[in-house]
Amino acid sequence: MSARTMKGIAFAIAEAIDQEMSGNPKVVVMGEDVTYWGAVFGFTMGLHQKYGRERVIDTPITEQTFMGMAVGAAATGMHPVVSLMFVDFLGAGFDQMYNHMAKNHYMSGGQFAMPVTVLTAIGGGYGDAAQHSQVLYGLFAHVPGFKVVVPSTAYDAKGLTLTALRDNNPVVIFGHKLLTGLPFLPFEGEEETVPEEPYTIPFGQAAVRREGSDLTIVAAGVMVPRSLRAAERLAQDGIDAEVIDVRTLVPLDTDTLVASARKTGRVLIVDEDYQSYGMTGELAFRIQAAAFDALKAPIHRLAVPDVPIPFSEPLESAVIPGVDRIVEEARALAGAQVTAD
């Protein structure tokens, strides 16, 4: 298998779609600016030039309409790839996604599959304000019917996207802007080796990015590289942190999380979504339900407090977890003890 160096998830996702489109005429792409702009964050770049407007279709700013088109196309045997440019705009297509795309297979008694892949950009970190900087994958993970994918590396982005394109269920891929590798955005990932040939990565398998013995840090998206950098600093203090990348929230690999919790006895969950009713609470419950007897301290969590993401970059940095805060929270957890009161 041949491979080359790739920078960022945007190039990997676009390549995966290209490779699937070349062999599957049922795959079509639609959404705002998916042609010349590549869905703004690069997820569809190069596809229009290769496949033309018959299969790569710019739509008006009408999320409710093109999400409905995707539902209809999927019901007739197509596999639409739909760009929801910023996840913050999900409300404009809310009914078609939550009440039709996620439920039609169930409500039709299995008569209509819903093979739809939704691509959307998430996250802050560059001062884009409250309506363009959210994560919100917890909303989709909350509703039965969606599979929820959050890649943190280019290798995973390609393999998970190809899996989504071969799935008969609606899959939402959340690509963090700071991992895209595009020149107009800061980049927090790493250049890595990615095979040129198509390959898939199964959903529901977390990745242990760093082995450790003193505590477990669980993260997704851009919080994974930040947690790895935090682990390097913790190692200088003699704290050996294990870092787990969940990769898919639905399905969730609970077994790997529980195994790590039982191994280290201390768990910190780091998230860029809002804290209340979010990923951190769900993961914490599942881990403690299966590993309570092995925990040496209560599970800690670090997430965005329940406020809109600020435009001001100092304030934005104060609410979105960064490396310093992960290190600080992990140090506190490493010294925490179980109390009997």
Side-chain angles (χ1 to χ4, degrees), residues 109-169:
Q111 295 182 75
F112 299 108
M114 277 290 118
V116 182
T117 301
V118 178
L119 304 168
T120 191
I122 61 172
Y126 62 106
D128 213 8
Q131 296 173 330
H132 295 76
S133 301
Q134 299 173 99
V135 168
L136 300 180
Y137 41 52
L139 290 174
F140 291 85
H142 181 66
V143 174
F146 287 116
K147 295 180 179 178
V148 176
V149 175
V150 193
S152 69
T153 69
Y155 180 90
D156 279 10
K158 180 174 177 178
L160 292 168
T161 299
L162 277 164
T163 301
L165 292 167
R166 297 172 186 180
D167 198 299
N168 274 332
N169 299 282

Side-chain angles (χ1 to χ4, degrees), residues 5-19:
T5 300
M6 183 175 284
K7 179 182 178 181
I9 64 172
F11 303 93
I13 290 173
E15 182 171 276
I17 299 171
D18 178 14
Q19 292 180 341

Side-chain angles (χ1 to χ4, degrees), residues 23-74:
N24 184 357
K26 295 180 179 179
V27 178
V28 296
V29 177
M30 65 178 75
E32 299 151 2
D33 294 326
V34 296
T35 59
Y36 298 106
W37 286 82
V40 176
F41 294 103
F43 302 141
T44 63
M45 58 185 164
L47 301 177
H48 165 248
Q49 291 83 348
K50 188 170 182 179
Y51 297 100
R53 291 190 183 277
E54 293 292 321
R55 297 182 66 190
V56 183
I57 307 160
D58 270 334
T59 66
I61 306 175
T62 54
E63 283 84 355
Q64 183 84 333
T65 299
F66 64 70
M67 287 297 176
M69 290 169 60
V71 170

Side-chain angles (χ1 to χ4, degrees), residues 59-96:
T59 66
I61 306 175
T62 54
E63 283 84 355
Q64 183 84 333
T65 299
F66 64 70
M67 287 297 176
M69 290 169 60
V71 170
T76 61
M78 304 295 288
H79 190 129
V81 178
V82 191
S83 170
L84 176 64
M85 190 185 297
F86 290 78
V87 74
D88 313 79
F89 303 156
L90 74 91
F94 201 78
D95 178 60
Q96 291 298 332

